[in-house]
Amino acid sequence: MLVTAYLAFVGLLASCLGLELSRCRAKPPGRACSNPSFLRFQLDFYQVYFLALAADWLQAPYLYKLYQHYYFLEGQIAILYVCGLASTVLFGLVASSLVDRLGRKNSCVLFSLTYSLCCLTKLSQDYFVLLVGRALGGLSTALLFSAFEAWYIHEHVERHDFPAEWIPATFARAAFWNHVLAVVAGVAAEAVASWIGLGPVAPFVAAIPLLALAGALALRNWEENYDRQRAFSKTCAGGLHCLLSDRRVLLLGTIQALFESVIFIFVFLWTPVLDPHGAPLGIVFSSFMAASLLGSSLYRIATSKSPGQESPVESFIAFLLIELACGLYFPSMSFLRRKVIPETEQAGVLNWFRVPLHLLACLGLLVLHDSDRKTGTRNMFSICSAIMVMALLAVVGLFTVVRHDAELRAPSPAEEPYAPEL
């Protein structure tokens, strides 16, 4: 597992580097990149924001491991995770109002203080103290994803009067370097956890100086700004009206809820699955982030083409990945069907399985037939992606139900090889 993790990390990193270099050579610099005043303003923002992001990522690889190190049971660890997620949701609802009332700069400094306290709570083995730390972490996360962006947009437009069209360029670059910081943070977490001698708590201690420096730079270099305060009830009512009145917003929210809920569950599950086999958690985390960076690079390459431009190479690679997934799916599903469905009922159950299967396929083909070829094809792939996300949710649900069932473990090599149905 150790060798596999490092090989995967190196391979993914090399792929990301190759894609980014080819993209940079092919894309000419934009006019925003050549403006000295804008670059200085960006740098002032990035110095603080990137330190905050680095401190956040540094803690991620060893959170579950730390709770295991304190001899908490899986159920107790799950409650700690739920507490963190719940506090993020609750504080996220009031974060905008809080940021407007305190000021964006002050809110960023408050983030540095609350997240530092959150890290300090990790030194305690008391369960209640750790719950308080998770609540502080939820508050900090809500501030991280509201105060910094709000401060930048206000300064960009109101104080410096830069074109609003340049704002996406800043956050696109921030998103790229956020992935890079996550990769580096995983390696750094592995190093400090192994070398400092504090064990799994070391990354949390190492994050505190980064947070302190971020707060100090914000105090020294940033100007304060406020915005017109809006009643919390009006904010919630306006958001709900927008959600229910625009079908696109509702569908977008559904997709986000389905996909990101799987990600949150995955964050909880990956450590107990890999850690017993001696996986270097920091390197594994960096590999995950490198894979995410690779996906972002592929997205930027795909969207850099002009609208409607054909991309057969990318399509071919995507189709190969689909068939790779099929090679994993069919034998796995055959094994699970044999174990889960009683033999006497398999025919009847499989008939019912095929009803929604063929119905969805027929509806999809009808939608494709009634649309323009290119538009219909793109829409169909989008629908297929959404269906795959829902299937992934079902897989996670099945895993949580049967994860301790010995009969559903992978088949041994002695079993008869599977021949897929045609």
Side-chain angles (χ1 to χ4, degrees), residues 43-78:
L43 181 61
D44 285 341
F45 172 67
Y46 285 152
Q47 284 177 338
V48 178
Y49 188 48
F50 286 168
L51 283 169
L53 291 173
D56 183 44
W57 286 122
L58 192 61
Q59 305 169 50
Y62 277 89
L63 182 60
Y64 192 103
K65 178 69 174 179
L66 177 69
Y67 296 145
Q68 270 190 333
H69 182 70
Y70 290 158
Y71 300 106
F72 292 118
L73 302 175
E74 186 178 270
Q76 294 173 308
I77 298 174

Side-chain angles (χ1 to χ4, degrees), residues 202-224:
F204 300 92
V205 176
I208 295 175
L210 299 179
L211 293 166
L213 183 57
L217 288 175
L219 280 173
R220 190 188 70 176
N221 298 334
W222 287 11
E223 299 291 337
E224 184 60 276

Side-chain angles (χ1 to χ4, degrees), residues 386-402:
I387 293 173
M388 281 296 188
V389 170
M390 290 188 283
L392 183 59
L393 277 173
V395 170
V396 173
L398 179 64
F399 176 78
T400 58
V401 172
V402 303

Side-chain angles (χ1 to χ4, degrees), residues 271-337:
T271 302
V273 170
L274 298 180
D275 186 47
H277 303 283
L281 298 182
I283 301 301
V284 169
F285 179 81
S286 290
S287 300
F288 292 159
M289 295 300 103
S292 180
L293 177 58
L294 181 61
S296 297
S297 299
L298 291 172
Y299 169 80
R300 283 191 293 274
I301 291 173
T303 55
S304 65
K305 299 181 181 295
S306 59
Q309 182 177 347
E310 299 288 348
S311 52
V313 174
E314 290 87 344
S315 298
F316 176 63
I317 294 173
F319 294 157
L320 289 177
L321 291 175
I322 291 174
E323 291 303 320
L324 173 65
C326 289
L328 292 167
Y329 167 82
F330 283 112
S332 302
M333 181 58 71
S334 176
F335 171 77
L336 289 171
R337 284 200 301 256

Side-chain angles (χ1 to χ4, degrees), residues 28 68 73 80 122 134 151 168 183 206 209 213 215-216 238 244 264 272 284 294 309-310 320 340 366 380 392 419:
Q68 270 190 333
L73 302 175
L80 288 168
K122 301 299 189 294
R134 291 296 288 167
W151 180 89
V183 173
L213 183 57
L244 298 178
F264 282 125
V284 169
L294 181 61
Q309 182 177 347
E310 299 288 348
L320 289 177
V340 173
L366 288 173
M380 200 63 249
L392 183 59

Side-chain angles (χ1 to χ4, degrees), residues 238-282:
L240 182 60
H241 179 265
C242 179
L243 179 66
L244 298 178
S245 62
D246 191 332
R247 188 181 179 188
R248 298 170 303 168
V249 176
L250 182 61
L251 291 173
L252 189 64
T254 302
I255 293 170
Q256 177 176 326
L258 289 171
F259 183 82
E260 295 187 16
S261 62
V262 174
I263 299 302
F264 282 125
I265 295 171
F266 164 74
V267 167
F268 176 80
L269 291 176
W270 73 265
T271 302
V273 170
L274 298 180
D275 186 47
H277 303 283
L281 298 182

